[in-house]
Amino acid sequence: MKHHVSRGLSLTLVLSLLAGCGLADRIAGRRGYTISSESMEPTLRKGSHVTAVEVNRDYTPKQGDVVFFATPASWGDGIRVARVIGVPGATVACCDDGGRMTVNGRPLEEPYLKESPASRLGFGPVTVPAGSVWVQGDNRHVSIDSRSYLSRDGIGQATVPVTDVVGVADLTTAE
């Protein structure tokens, strides 16, 4: 009996150590991030910590996903976080008469926005290419996102390749 208790305590100690250094999350396909800007407020505050579920090549984006992505070369270096507004094939534009984004001609209800209108920068319509997503922060008035990278002659480098998405935020873990 004593041998079984000792083995149980050893396993508990090992699991505690793994959890403390984040290795358990990495093994489980999860990764922690610290939010470095105000671009996703009020959903994710600057300095808060959130866990993301890592994605693979089979990831199918959904409108509303909060994603971490490797920035396209024209956007600079690093990992950013933003909300998926347009999935492949969707047409996004801003703004309707009520100051709301539209997706496929329908107004998008966005209760997570820090403030209205959905964008001070009007644009579109823009059709999201296959294999890409249109992303925007929840704090639109400070966020540098897809809107910031539109070119005069069309979409330019405004979208993020789905293959550059590295994780989907688990908003229940935000601290």
Side-chain angles (χ1 to χ4, degrees), residues 3-161:
H3 183 60
H4 292 289
V5 171
S6 174
R7 186 176 299 156
L9 287 174
S10 296
L11 181 58
T12 301
L13 179 61
V14 168
L15 290 175
S16 295
L17 289 171
L18 288 175
C21 69
L23 189 55
D25 277 342
R26 296 290 292 173
I27 292 169
R30 300 171 68 80
R31 181 173 181 181
Y33 292 92
T34 299
I35 306 304
S36 62
S37 78
E38 298 88 9
S39 69
M40 281 302 294
E41 290 183 354
T43 305
L44 298 171
R45 297 184 216 276
K46 181 178 180 179
S48 66
H49 303 280
V50 66
T51 301
V53 177
E54 293 179 320
V55 298
N56 57 32
R57 299 276 181 211
D58 296 332
Y59 168 64
T60 301
K62 293 179 228 39
Q63 185 182 65
D65 283 353
V66 174
V67 296
F68 291 89
F69 59 95
T71 56
S74 62
W75 292 31
D77 256 347
I79 300 289
R80 292 194 193 175
V81 60
R83 188 175 299 271
V84 173
I85 301 299
V87 296
T91 300
V92 297
C94 194
C95 288
D96 71 0
D97 292 340
R100 297 172 296 190
M101 294 284 304
T102 63
V103 177
N104 298 327
R106 293 187 203 99
L108 183 61
E109 296 301 324
E110 298 184 280
Y112 43 77
L113 286 182
K114 182 156 183 158
E115 59 185 285
S116 293
S119 177
R120 290 182 183 148
L121 172 67
F123 65 87
V126 174
T127 300
V128 180
S132 295
V133 290
W134 179 275
V135 296
Q136 292 181 214
D138 290 355
N139 188 358
R140 303 277 164 79
H141 305 309
V142 302
S143 180
I144 298 173
D145 50 37
S146 289
R147 298 166 302 152
S148 306
Y149 296 96
L150 281 169
S151 65
R152 289 178 188 252
D153 60 350
I155 202 162
Q157 296 295 314
T159 59
V160 173

